[in-house]
Amino acid sequence: MNPSPAVTAPVQQGGVQDVAAAARRVVDAIVRAGDAIAAQSGDLATALHGVADRIDLAAPPLAERMTTMWLPVDSRLHNPVNGLENPLAPPLEITEGADGDVAGSVTLGLPYQGPPGHVHGGISALLLDHVLGLANIRAGNSGMTARLALTYHRPLPLFEELSVTGRQASVDGRKIHATGTISADGHVAVSAEGLFVRPRAEPGR
Ligand SMILES: CCCCCCCCCCCC(=O)SCCNC(=O)CCNC(=O)[C@H](O)C(C)(C)COP(=O)(O)OP(=O)(O)OC[C@H]1O[C@@H](n2cnc3c(N)ncnc32)[C@H](O)[C@@H]1OP(=O)(O)O
């Protein structure tokens, strides 16, 4: 039995996860096409607004949604990194190591491009902040990110499977240290050291 809290998103066939996947495909297609869709832009924008209007009609009140999205299972589905129901999430696929480590894999496409053919550095920070945070949750001592130091060793390629790791390094009262890496083809491209602080009072209380 593994006593660590689960941090992986429950995968479902169909449902909202399919809608989010379709939305990711739209984003990818728009970035890929660029000016090639300029002549159809009016029709395309109208069609997409029509879809958004239909979804908005079904949405619950915003305040209710902000609360429910942070419930334990819901936050795993809706966060912007591995949340399968959040179209902004690449999504990173998380696996939980037996030793408490967290690992993830993801292949990023054009919407995440920084330098030509490579991942935007802010996206690396997003992935590492999240995976270090998940490693802390798994370890049973988690907090808010207070400081995240990244070292960019080499450019991170698009269209190749990336491996993201995170582990809790030490706990000193409310201060929690965690480290992690992003690797491509077995080479570490980005490494991170994070300081997380457990707030005196939980957020929102
Ligand atoms: C399954 C679910 C999936 C869901 C997904 C779950 C994973 C998500 C992970 C993502 C995590 C985030 O992005 S969190 C969002 C981004 N982060 C934030 O918004 C945090 C904003 N900052 C804050 O709220 C605050 O500054 C805190 C909470 C970090 C600290 O405030 P505080 O609680 O008042 O702490 P304070 O008493 O001042 O300091 C406590 C100790 O920490 C040190 N300390 C505090 N801040 C710093 C700092 N930046 N750099 C160095 N040291 C610092 C102090 O010197 C002190 O050391 P000493 O004197 O005791 O030695």
Side-chain angles (χ1 to χ4, degrees), residues 8 24 37 54 60 65 67 84 86 92 142:
T8 51
R24 274 182 218 111
I37 54 171
R54 196 171 150 197
R65 191 67 183 133
T67 306
L84 289 168
N86 184 339
L92 182 69
S142 58

Side-chain angles (χ1 to χ4, degrees), residues 162-185:
L162 307 176
S163 166
V164 189
T165 66
R167 71 162 28 226
Q168 189 170 86
S170 63
V171 178
D172 172 17
R174 292 194 291 123
K175 293 192 288 188
I176 301 151
H177 295 268
T179 60
T181 59
I182 307 178
S183 303
D185 197 23

Side-chain angles (χ1 to χ4, degrees), residues 5-8 69-82 126 128-135 137 143-148 172 174-175 195-201 203:
V7 295
T8 51
M69 278 177 69
W70 195 243
L71 297 173
V73 171
D74 288 52
S75 63
R76 287 187 267 146
L77 285 168
H78 299 128
N79 73 74
V81 182
N82 68 312
L126 173 74
L128 282 162
D129 182 33
H130 191 74
V131 168
L132 269 53
L134 291 182
I137 289 171
M144 301 274 278
T145 316
R147 195 181 63 230
L148 186 66
D172 172 17
R174 292 194 291 123
K175 293 192 288 188
L195 169 67
F196 297 77
V197 175
R198 181 163 44 80
R200 285 189 211 93

